[in-house]
Amino acid sequence: MVNDIVADSLTRIRNASMRRLEVTELYYAKIVVSILGIFKNRGFITNYNVIEKAGKPFISVELAYDEKGKAVINEIKRLSKPGRRVYRQSKELKRFKNGYGVVVVSTSKGVITNEEAYKQNVGGEVLCSIW
C-alpha cells in the first residue's frame, strides 16, 4: 500500500530516468494523470497511456531523452508532502529555474503549472517541481 501516490510516481520516474529506461509503470490516480499531462506538454516525457493489468489500471510512461541519450529530466522533486503541506498564493508562483523548470500546483481550477496559476491569479498546494 502506497501512502503518497504522487511521491511514489515521481520516484519511479526519477529512478527510470537515471537507469535510462524507455518505459516505466505507475499506479493509476487522476492527479498523477493530470501531472503527467503537464510533463508531456512541457516535453519532459514523450507519452503516457492508461493500461490494465489483472483488472487494475496502471499508467505506462515513456521517458524523453535528447539526441545524445541524456535524460531531459534533470531534477524532479516532491514539494508538498502528507506530513507538511505547502501552499502558495498566486503572487509567489512566478518563474522557476528561469523558465526552464515547472512547478505543478493543485488549485481550485485544477492541476496547472505555476505560470498558468500566476496568470489566472489563483494559488494552491504546490505539488512538485521538475526541470
Side-chain angles (χ1 to χ4, degrees):
M1 186 74 195
V2 177
N3 287 333
D4 189 4
I5 192 83
V6 175
D8 181 70
S9 300
L10 296 178
T11 301
R12 286 173 184 247
I13 291 171
R14 183 184 317 111
N15 291 343
S17 177
M18 286 191 301
R19 291 192 59 217
R20 307 265 192 272
L21 299 179
E22 292 183 22
V23 179
T24 186
E25 286 188 0
L26 313 176
Y27 293 120
Y28 177 82
K30 289 181 183 178
I31 192 163
V32 174
V33 172
S34 301
I35 293 170
L36 291 175
I38 292 172
F39 289 175
K40 182 179 175 186
N41 290 341
R42 291 302 184 101
F44 292 110
I45 62 172
T46 307
N47 200 4
Y48 66 94
N49 296 313
V50 178
I51 58 174
E52 197 162 313
K53 282 188 175 179
K56 293 185 179 182
F58 288 90
I59 306 168
S60 175
V61 179
E62 297 173 23
L63 301 172
Y65 297 95
D66 62 6
E67 308 85 37
K68 297 178 183 177
K70 186 176 183 289
V72 175
I73 299 172
N74 291 317
E75 180 182 79
I76 186 167
K77 190 184 290 186
R78 177 81 156 120
L79 299 173
S80 183
K81 301 172 184 172
R84 180 175 177 255
R85 299 290 182 188
V86 178
Y87 297 95
R88 296 284 180 256
Q89 296 178 354
S90 63
K91 293 174 261 182
E92 300 172 299
L93 295 171
K94 294 188 180 176
R95 290 174 34 166
F96 175 70
K97 294 285 185 187
N98 226 5
Y100 291 109
V102 177
V103 175
V104 180
V105 184
S106 176
T107 67
S108 58
K109 297 188 178 183
V111 178
I112 56 177
T113 65
N114 57 329
E115 294 167 353
E116 292 172 17
Y118 182 75
K119 288 177 188 171
Q120 295 179 14
N121 198 26
V122 292
E125 182 181 354
V126 181
L127 297 176
C128 63
S129 66
I130 185 171
W131 69 278

